[in-house]
Amino acid sequence: MQEITIGKNEAGQRLDKFLAKYMNLAPKSFFYKMMRKKNITLNGKKCEGAEKLNEGDVVKLFLADETIEGFTEKKAPVIQKVKKQKLDVLYEDADILLINKPSGMLSQKAKETDTSLVEYLIDYLLEKGTVTESSLRTFRPSVCNRLDRNTSGIVACSKSLAGSQMLSEVFRDRSIHKYYQCIVFGEMRESKTIDGWLLKDEISNKVQIFPKKVEGSLEIKTKYEPIATNGNYTLLKVTLLTGRSHQIRAHLASIGHPIVGDPKY
């Protein structure tokens, strides 16, 4: 038998969703069967799975430890050991962090062997005692916006479920504004909004920009404003009106103003 006390990061979700994370290999039918037989209870009472969990609720699993372990994925460790990395934390409260990601660091893994900001974030929170190995089983802190490996800038990260939900909402309704700065070749003196169609080649991880729609392409819109220029180079403030892979880099290159130091475009 196992007894689980619902914490801050588990509260607010349905019981069946929580159970699916806790025993992530078990079919949904297993949970409903166990709840009908009262082998899974909520606050000592029979439950159906649709109940919304509150902080302090107690879920009891009247199941053998072997059964619980058998329904829990173990092919990868919960925690990836990483080399210590000092994070440039710009802001932190109980639910979120804002981190200045340096150039050269992945926001999230591209493949299993990668180490990204997410792993450094979890290591940072474990060291502070904000999360534990047990709590990571049902909620993993993560980044809520991504920057390319070679782009530096502010990344918003969630420490809690409430933080994740809040950040997802402000990015979705665009009440938080994002912009980028870059230095491009050539002189640019007018602010413009440019559009086009972007087609990505997954094999080469490179995109092409077309003036008209082609098969498989996605529409893009990019706004730029010159900040300063010396005639040879221009510092731009860029706002993405659509968010596509390599959009800024490829779109600016397509109009004859590639980003200085970008070897791909």
Side-chain angles (χ1 to χ4, degrees), residues 213-253:
K213 185 174 184 179
V214 299
E215 185 178 355
S217 64
L218 298 170
E219 187 176 15
I220 56 172
K221 290 183 181 293
T222 309
K223 178 182 177 182
Y224 63 79
E225 305 168 53
I227 298 173
T229 183
N230 65 1
N232 296 315
Y233 305 98
T234 302
L235 173 63
L236 294 180
K237 175 182 176 181
V238 181
T239 303
L240 287 176
L241 303 180
T242 57
R244 312 295 186 193
S245 296
H246 303 179
Q247 179 176 323
I248 295 174
R249 303 159 65 187
H251 212 177
L252 291 174

Side-chain angles (χ1 to χ4, degrees), residues 152-181:
S152 62
I154 299 174
V155 176
C157 308
S158 63
K159 293 172 61 176
S160 67
L161 180 62
S164 177
Q165 293 170 335
M166 182 274 290
L167 288 171
S168 295
E169 179 61 28
V170 296
F171 279 118
R172 183 166 52 250
D173 66 18
R174 296 183 180 271
S175 57
I176 188 170
H177 303 287
K178 298 186 294 181
Y179 68 89
Y180 302 80
Q181 289 187 353

